[in-house]
Amino acid sequence: MRALVWHGINRLSVDNVPDPQILQPTDAIVRITSTAICGSDLHLVDGYVPTMVPGDILGHEFMGEVVEVGHEVRRIKVGDRVIVPFPISCGHCWYCEHSLTSLCDNSNPNAKLAEALWGYSPAGIYGYSHLTGGYSGGQAQFARTPFADANLFRVPSELSDEQVLFLTDVLPTGYMAAENCRIQPGDVVAVWGCGPVGQFTIRSAFLLGAERVIAIDRFPERLELASRAGAEPINYAHTNVFEALKLMTGGRGPDSVVDAVGMEAHGTGPGGIYDAVKQTTRSLETERPHALRAAIQACRKGGTVSVAGVYGGFSDKMPLGAYMNKALTMHTGQTHVHRYLERLTEHILRGEIDPTQIITHTLSLEEAPRGYQLFKHKQDSCVKVVLRPWEEPQKTQAAD
């Protein structure tokens, strides 16, 4: 089959690789019809997530048709059209039974690696380094999916791939980021980052009752997309965000703040240079947490900090004094995708969330390396790239 393969930092190619096989009786094989490039994939490409090995297949947002199942798979059948949540759940451990599927105790075969870094291991994740299991990803024509009965979800036939693909990650991630804000009527929510997760956070915050949502980014097209969802934009390249938020909230600050950026935030001034240089060493500091620092500083006293952006290692100069003395509460974590699928599918069916709004480019799998360049460098107003594993390059075109 064809698959997007990681060969080293900023080195990707689409190669011929062996087809996946059933390894356990609870496995299934999915023929992938649509897959997407996620912002957190860039952390792998840029070399900021350790334990990648040349030959690894990327991708954790994918869906398709089940073409083979192990003899112990009961709920899922060959021919089912399914989406595949990015965290792998065993379905039976304490965490899975409490709807905390991104913390599954049994799906990461390399748990010792994760425990050495984080104390305890989260769930295994497709295409996301050997730290989270070394599973082959879904930017490919086929994928093996473990614990198929717990991880594959049929989708309504009336919904297109574009409408349900993002249920695998960025839509529930944005929803959980908003839910973590514990929004109350009249609340003001400020969201750093207007990429795919930020866009869905904004829409979810309104669904959950926020009175106002303030969107912070530096790319006009992303701020425009946020504005169309009802958010009030701030371009941090031209505006003092802290002062603007104070002014917009009568001097109190936002009730909740969301970091939808993560470890590769773009800082300004000496602080931005400081973090960029240290992160380049991949040892002195593993993150550029500018958005998180700014969010903590800007949040009102007693407010909530929701962290959806991915972090992997260690950051310095975190404003813990502000965090403690303002009595802030932080909620974070990889998304428990499984718990949100039913309610978000209903929102899509009722037209309350339109996931297709964020798609700017649809490319063939063969064009995936170009898709990464477009997405990474925000070229051609790129917000989200969907890949078609079975289409020829000449048949694809930009969605907009």
Side-chain angles (χ1 to χ4, degrees), residues 234-369:
I234 295 177
N235 187 328
Y236 73 81
H238 309 303
T239 305
N240 182 315
V241 174
F242 181 82
E243 294 298 331
L245 288 172
K246 281 185 71 174
L247 188 63
M248 295 167 79
T249 57
R252 192 174 73 164
D255 300 288
S256 302
V257 295
V258 179
D259 171 6
V261 181
M263 69 169 74
E264 292 191 75
H266 293 275
T268 57
I273 297 171
Y274 170 87
D275 282 320
V277 170
K278 291 188 74 175
Q279 192 188 39
T280 301
T281 68
R282 294 175 172 76
S283 58
L284 294 175
E285 186 179 24
T286 56
E287 335 281 4
R288 301 197 307 261
H290 309 294
L292 182 54
R293 291 188 190 121
I296 290 173
Q297 202 72 17
C299 190
R300 74 157 167 84
K301 293 182 287 186
T304 301
V305 181
S306 171
V307 184
V310 171
Y311 291 91
F314 303 94
S315 302
D316 60 10
K317 293 190 167 39
M318 294 303 296
L320 294 179
Y323 182 70
M324 184 270 173
N325 287 289
K326 291 197 297 180
L328 303 181
T329 299
M330 181 179 289
H331 297 283
T332 185
Q334 295 282 3
T335 307
H336 310 300
V337 171
H338 305 64
R339 79 156 69 149
Y340 299 107
L341 293 179
E342 184 175 349
R343 80 181 77 166
L344 288 174
T345 300
E346 289 298 319
H347 282 307
I348 295 170
L349 284 167
R350 291 196 294 266
E352 295 163 344
I353 288 183
D354 178 8
T356 67
Q357 290 179 331
I358 70 166
I359 300 172
T360 53
H361 295 76
T362 301
L363 306 174
S364 72
L365 178 64
E366 299 297 323
E367 296 170 292

Side-chain angles (χ1 to χ4, degrees), residues 31-71:
R31 179 185 186 273
I32 298 168
T33 55
S34 294
T35 180
I37 300 173
C38 179
S40 57
D41 289 328
L42 299 180
H43 308 325
L44 305 172
V45 175
D46 292 338
Y48 296 125
V49 176
T51 73
M52 288 294 290
V53 175
D56 285 347
I57 298 172
L58 297 183
H60 57 268
E61 298 179 358
F62 60 97
M63 62 174 295
E65 179 185 343
V66 177
V67 295
E68 186 178 0
V69 297
H71 65 82

Side-chain angles (χ1 to χ4, degrees), residues 73-323:
V73 176
R74 300 287 182 265
R75 187 178 64 83
I76 294 298
K77 308 296 183 188
V78 169
D80 285 347
R81 177 172 174 256
V82 295
I83 56 171
V84 187
F86 79 87
I88 301 170
S89 162
C90 74
H92 301 293
C93 71
W94 187 90
Y95 292 99
C96 291
E97 289 182 346
H98 288 77
S99 297
L100 301 167
T101 50
S102 76
L103 303 175
C104 175
D105 257 343
N106 296 320
S107 62
N108 184 356
N110 299 330
K112 291 294 182 185
L113 287 175
E115 288 167 2
L117 185 59
W118 298 322
Y120 296 92
S121 172
I125 298 176
Y126 298 99
Y128 213 77
S129 86
H130 292 258
L131 200 59
T132 56
Y135 291 98
S136 292
Q139 288 164 8
Q141 292 182 315
F142 294 95
R144 167 185 166 251
T145 57
F147 306 111
D149 280 336
N151 292 292
L152 302 184
F153 292 84
R154 300 182 192 93
V155 287
S157 58
E158 63 266 36
L159 296 178
S160 67
D161 277 19
E162 290 82 358
Q163 288 176 291
V164 294
L165 174 61
F166 304 140
L167 287 168
T168 60
D169 181 358
V170 287
L171 175 49
T173 295
Y175 190 88
M176 186 169 118
E179 186 181 69
N180 278 342
C181 292
R182 310 296 196 261
I183 294 169
Q184 300 298 312
D187 271 5
V188 178
V189 180
V191 180
W192 271 256
C194 294
V197 169
Q199 296 292 340
F200 286 133
T201 302
I202 290 164
R203 287 154 178 79
S204 300
F206 281 124
L207 275 177
L208 291 168
E211 182 170 305
R212 298 169 63 197
V213 180
I214 300 169
I216 302 155
D217 205 297
R218 65 186 171 124
F219 293 99
E221 62 273 15
R222 295 184 175 211
L223 289 170
E224 171 59 26
L225 188 57
S227 296
R228 293 207 294 269
E232 301 165 56
I234 295 177
N235 187 328
Y236 73 81
H238 309 303
T239 305
N240 182 315
V241 174
F242 181 82
E243 294 298 331
L245 288 172
K246 281 185 71 174
L247 188 63
M248 295 167 79
T249 57
R252 192 174 73 164
D255 300 288
S256 302
V257 295
V258 179
D259 171 6
V261 181
M263 69 169 74
E264 292 191 75
H266 293 275
T268 57
I273 297 171
Y274 170 87
D275 282 320
V277 170
K278 291 188 74 175
Q279 192 188 39
T280 301
T281 68
R282 294 175 172 76
S283 58
L284 294 175
E285 186 179 24
T286 56
E287 335 281 4
R288 301 197 307 261
H290 309 294
L292 182 54
R293 291 188 190 121
I296 290 173
Q297 202 72 17
C299 190
R300 74 157 167 84
K301 293 182 287 186
T304 301
V305 181
S306 171
V307 184
V310 171
Y311 291 91
F314 303 94
S315 302
D316 60 10
K317 293 190 167 39
M318 294 303 296
L320 294 179
Y323 182 70

